[in-house]
Amino acid sequence: MIGFWLVAAALTALALLPLLRSLLRPAPPLEGAAAFARGVYAAQVAEIDRDLKRGLLSEDQARAARAEVGRRLLSVADEAMVPPAAAAPKPAQRTALVLTLLLPVVALGVYLPLGQPNLPAVPFATRPKEALAPPQVLDAVAKLEATLQQNPDDVGGWSLLAQTYGAMARPADAVNAWRQVLRLTPEDASVKGALAEALAVAADGVVGEEAVRLFTEAVAADAMDARARYYLGLARLQAGDIRGALDRWTALVADSPADAPWLPTVRERIHDAATQVGLDPFAITPSPKPASAPPPPAMGQARGQPGAAPALSPEQMQAMAAMSQEDQQATINSMVDGLQAKLKDNPGDADGWMRLARAREVQGNMDAARDALRGAVKADPKRLQAWLDLSRLTAPDDAQTQGSAEFLDAMAKVLELAPDNPQALYYLGQQAANEGKAGRARELWGRLLKQLPADAPQRPELQRRMDSLK
């Protein structure tokens, strides 16, 4: 605490220093100022004479101008004759002394009842982030809150308020609103999932006990609830059960249509989790079901996942809502084609190529997705995710099969960017073995073997293949 007051005193002194210097600085001599002014006015008189000779001024105008300059010159002469004590008093040493003593006392008097020096600091990065909302939205939320106070059983109002809180990044308020919705519709599995998701968001992504219970109930009511199944896998991952998480997520992929908007996120989770335990994500990730009928565009972008087309504005969504399903799909295809056309004019947009690749994959057009990924790696050769996606879409169907040249080139680039990537180590080791480069194969597989847990089921087979190298 003593250190705090010493720092506060030093900061106060630093703050007062500029003020004291201004108050204690001697005033400039008036005689010097008067002499300078006389020189200026003499130059003005000379300028008036020159303008008169050039015909720019008449005699009357020149006479009036000289009279004005003379009046100002006499004024300066009068000021110079004033005694120094009357013209400018000495610096206000008393005022400076009073301020020096008074300001810290006043500041201390304000701080003592209000200040909290022992309050822990809150770093900016950890402060709650609340999305900025336009004033009209805040007014609408306030009106809706007031209405629900008068009519607390309005389930539609609570649902709208909960969704609005979520969009405004107010997760705690969203949780409270979803609780009211669940109170009014206790058997609605989708509401249970929404409340559980809000709980996870409010807990910075941690799927807690209550959220797990709600997600479990949601899956019991609807075995195809992808959101609940995804979060239940995330809960297993957070609990340290990576295998359990992989089991849930791979089952979700197997049960999902190929155009499901959540598949890219689930596949990414599988890739990261499998890498942690030394498994090949390409080998353990099943193929999804055939693509279903094209979903409405609003669903295609649910929860910020990549969909079949760029995000739509509210006006576009409203216009498309009235279209038939065929017209909706035609519009989406047109938007994706438009993105591809833009990329032809701007081939260096790696982010655009990645979006196009995801959209083409969701559409089930794997050839176009691969072409887009080729554009992405050309635009940004150091983008690891682009190379990983390209290798995923060019991987052989069987892990024992020799991969294509493009696949192996992608794996080589992945290994360059991520030297411990298990897929690159395995497949490039296999390539070396097939080419008779036993030393290179042993090196790559040996690095992979060091990453595998002692009980990994792949260890015996990998060790056997290493021992068989000649």
Side-chain angles (χ1 to χ4, degrees):
M1 181 63 70
I2 295 177
F4 167 79
W5 291 115
L6 290 175
V7 172
L11 291 176
T12 302
L14 288 175
L16 288 174
L17 183 59
L19 177 62
L20 293 175
R21 289 184 62 186
S22 298
L23 290 173
L24 296 174
R25 184 184 296 116
L30 289 179
E31 178 57 34
F36 176 78
R38 284 196 297 269
V40 171
Y41 294 142
Q44 290 179 351
V45 171
E47 183 67 23
I48 292 171
D49 291 338
R50 285 193 297 270
D51 290 344
L52 178 60
K53 291 178 181 179
R54 291 198 300 266
L56 299 177
L57 294 177
S58 66
E59 286 288 349
D60 292 338
Q61 290 174 332
R63 189 179 303 109
R66 289 194 195 94
E68 176 62 22
V69 172
R71 184 186 64 77
R72 295 179 183 175
L73 188 57
L74 290 174
S75 176
V76 171
D78 291 341
E79 290 179 2
M81 296 300 295
V82 177
K90 292 183 180 180
Q93 289 93 345
R94 290 185 179 179
T95 303
L97 181 60
V98 170
L99 288 176
T100 303
L101 297 176
L102 185 59
L103 284 179
V105 172
V106 171
L108 184 62
V110 173
Y111 181 81
L112 287 177
L114 301 177
Q116 300 182 53
N118 293 322
L119 191 67
V122 181
F124 180 79
T126 64
R127 297 177 189 176
K129 302 175 180 63
E130 182 174 317
L132 297 177
Q136 57 268 30
V137 174
L138 298 177
D139 293 341
V141 169
K143 291 179 181 177
L144 182 57
E145 291 170 339
T147 301
L148 290 171
Q149 287 183 354
Q150 302 297 323
N151 184 15
D153 293 336
D154 181 1
V155 63
W158 282 114
S159 179
L160 176 60
L161 186 62
Q163 296 176 58
T164 305
Y165 282 148
M168 296 172 65
R170 295 169 57 178
D173 292 331
V175 167
N176 294 333
W178 281 121
R179 289 192 190 281
Q180 294 297 325
V181 179
L182 186 61
R183 173 180 64 84
L184 299 169
T185 57
E187 303 302 322
D188 192 328
S190 64
V191 175
K192 292 180 179 179
L195 172 57
E197 186 174 36
L199 285 166
V201 173
D204 293 330
V206 177
V207 187
E209 183 177 347
E210 182 182 7
V212 169
R213 176 179 60 79
L214 290 168
F215 280 131
T216 302
E217 293 176 4
V219 171
D222 179 7
M224 295 306 298
D225 189 330
R227 171 175 57 182
R229 294 174 66 179
Y230 167 78
Y231 275 104
L232 288 174
L234 184 59
R236 298 313 312 154
L237 180 70
Q238 293 172 352
D241 183 8
I242 300 179
R243 296 296 180 87
L246 287 171
D247 290 343
R248 290 181 180 274
W249 286 335
T250 53
L252 176 57
V253 171
D255 292 339
S256 300
D259 57 350
W262 54 81
L263 275 182
T265 297
V266 180
R267 283 173 172 152
E268 185 177 351
R269 287 287 190 179
I270 291 173
H271 181 278
D272 293 342
T275 302
Q276 292 183 45
V277 293
L279 297 177
D280 181 357
F282 303 119
I284 68 172
T285 303
S287 298
K289 293 181 177 180
S292 62
M299 293 298 294
Q301 294 293 333
R303 297 183 188 91
Q305 302 305 327
L312 301 175
S313 67
E315 293 77 12
Q316 290 172 315
M317 290 182 183
Q318 185 176 4
M320 293 187 68
M323 296 181 183
S324 65
Q325 199 168 64
E326 292 77 12
D327 290 340
Q328 289 178 0
Q329 186 59 31
T331 302
I332 293 173
N333 292 340
S334 176
M335 296 177 69
V336 177
D337 292 341
L339 175 59
Q340 184 168 354
K342 291 180 180 179
L343 289 170
K344 289 183 179 179
D345 296 330
N346 184 20
D349 182 5
D351 291 332
W353 286 115
M354 294 292 288
R355 289 196 301 271
L356 180 62
R358 287 192 293 265
R360 292 304 190 194
E361 186 175 358
V362 169
Q363 288 179 323
N365 191 341
M366 295 298 133
D367 289 338
R370 283 187 281 269
D371 286 341
L373 288 170
R374 294 179 187 117
V377 298
K378 185 176 181 181
D380 185 0
K382 294 186 178 181
R383 179 165 295 206
L384 176 61
Q385 190 58 53
W387 288 108
L388 287 171
D389 288 349
L390 182 59
S391 63
R392 174 171 57 83
L393 294 188
T394 56
D397 295 332
D398 187 348
Q400 305 297 326
T401 304
Q402 173 76 27
S404 66
E406 183 177 30
F407 169 73
L408 294 173
D409 287 344
M411 285 282 89
K413 193 64 178 181
V414 168
L415 189 65
E416 176 185 334
L417 298 173
D420 294 328
N421 182 272
Q423 290 75 42
L425 291 171
Y426 173 78
Y427 282 109
L428 293 177
Q430 178 178 275
Q431 178 194 20
N434 293 339
E435 294 176 351
K437 301 176 180 178
R440 176 63 171 166
R442 285 196 187 92
E443 177 206 346
L444 294 171
W445 281 346
R447 286 161 57 185
L448 175 59
L449 202 61
K450 291 179 181 179
Q451 296 184 35
L452 294 176
D455 58 347
Q458 294 81 12
R459 289 186 68 93
E461 175 62 19
L462 185 60
Q463 187 65 58
R464 184 192 66 77
R465 297 188 66 183
M466 290 180 63
D467 294 341
S468 66
L469 291 171
K470 297 180 181 180

